Amino acid sequence: MKYNASPIGIYAFFAALTWLAIAFLTHGFWGTEGFFYDLPNKRMPFGRFFLFYTIAFALYSFAVVKIKSIPAGRRNLVIVLAGAFVFRLILIPSIPVHENDIYRYIWDGKILTNGINPYKYPPMVAGIKPAHNESQADFEKLKSIRDENPKFYRRISYKDVPTIYPPLTQAVFSVSTLAAPGSVWFMKFLFVLFDMGVIFLICGVLKLLKQNPLYAIIYAWNPLVLKEFANSGHYDALAICCVTAAVYLGLKKKYHFSSVCLGLGVLSKFYPLIFMPFFILKKQYSAFFICLAVIVLGYFPFYLWGETDLLSIFTGLGIYAHKWAINGFVFELINSLLLTLGKNFYILSKIICACIFVAIWLLIYSSKRDIIEKMFWSVTALFLLSPVGDPWYYCWMIPFLCIYRNYSLIALSYLLILSYFEFTRDFGAFRLGEFEIDNLLLLQYIPFYLFFLIESWFGRKRGPAES
């Protein structure tokens, strides 16, 4: 009997080879030292990584386009799921490319498992003589944790900032520490499990919407998702998993369980807060308050622990909101325009972006779109208007692209990888009189916005009506 190879299987085979090459390249680039900000990053040949990433994205694009004409049989779905798992498995041992957040995760996990409230002390205080005798034991523990692995401690960025990570992520960091102390691989493996959970949930959502479950490939094989979670080890997969579970349970009209999942999402990352009012829109008032209760209960033990007040718990978040700004196109555009007036309007630029988002969110909230589509456009607006446009934040919206096939937004998941060139070379800035904006931002966002306008004009957006 003749065996006919599935086109998706062929794409999966070549994609696996590409990711295998990328995994080997990361070791060749960074050796045993790995990446962190004290290293001379300009010597790191990110260009070669970008070349292989481009190949991976090309294979991914062909597969996404091909999916429409492939029957939604079990065989092809197994290939999509197996491919997703294999790609991630290949990347777990790879060295994080221009990322070092995972070392802070390891630090926080060790802090919590050693009986110290992670919101109480920033890493830089490790070993410093305490101001009060009652803190002596904590500081001795902090010093001991620092000395366990000085290399990892050195790789932590922003040592003067208390942790920003919410309680559920702290719990996962601690589980990783208890199971495999100080292991980067194991922590990435945990996030990959949540990432795979997202994929299975997307398949369930697509089936409930009577859409082809093979469209889960848009998330499952997305190179940015693979790079940010399986390679870089960002924990956002946990929050995305909670939000996707909330969507799935909401479609099944299990609103109370959905609200618990959304509350856990907020306890993982703050962005799901923008989805909470949609329970009120559905007149699920009890679900809204259950979600709120989950969030309060998640933070309450940390509030009681070690005389830590609310200000201490959210100090890191406050510093983040006030000082962080990177790769946010709209923010940089507004800030650059205001700078032509001769003053620094940094905070005003953030306020303007926040006001624009609130206005857009209110329009979305009051529109006649279905709830899932409102969630999609809300998180899209949040990312595009945020002063912080870190590429892994963009992964928040990719599950929704499995339902609403907006190809300009899929293309943006490729363009955002260009932001990592910031570490290796200077692309200069575009200047027009007093106006100035980084060319690296223009390279990422101008093609996207042009594509987005063209796609919107010709009505090529796909929705849940399409099966």
Side-chain angles (χ1 to χ4, degrees), residues 310-321:
L310 285 176
L311 181 62
S312 298
I313 290 174
F314 294 107
T315 294
L317 178 63
I319 294 171
Y320 169 88

Side-chain angles (χ1 to χ4, degrees), residues 70-84:
I70 292 178
R74 182 176 179 181
R75 175 191 173 195
N76 287 322
L77 185 57
V78 167
I79 291 172
V80 169
L81 296 174

Side-chain angles (χ1 to χ4, degrees), residues 375-396:
M375 293 174 73
F376 167 50
W377 288 114
S378 294
V379 75
T380 300
L382 179 66
F383 176 82
L384 294 176
L385 289 165
S386 172
V388 182
D390 286 322
W392 59 94
Y393 288 10
Y394 180 79
C395 296
W396 305 341

Side-chain angles (χ1 to χ4, degrees), residues 240-252:
I240 295 170
C241 186
C242 293
V243 170
T244 312
V247 170
Y248 176 77
L249 291 167
L251 283 171
K252 294 180 77 70

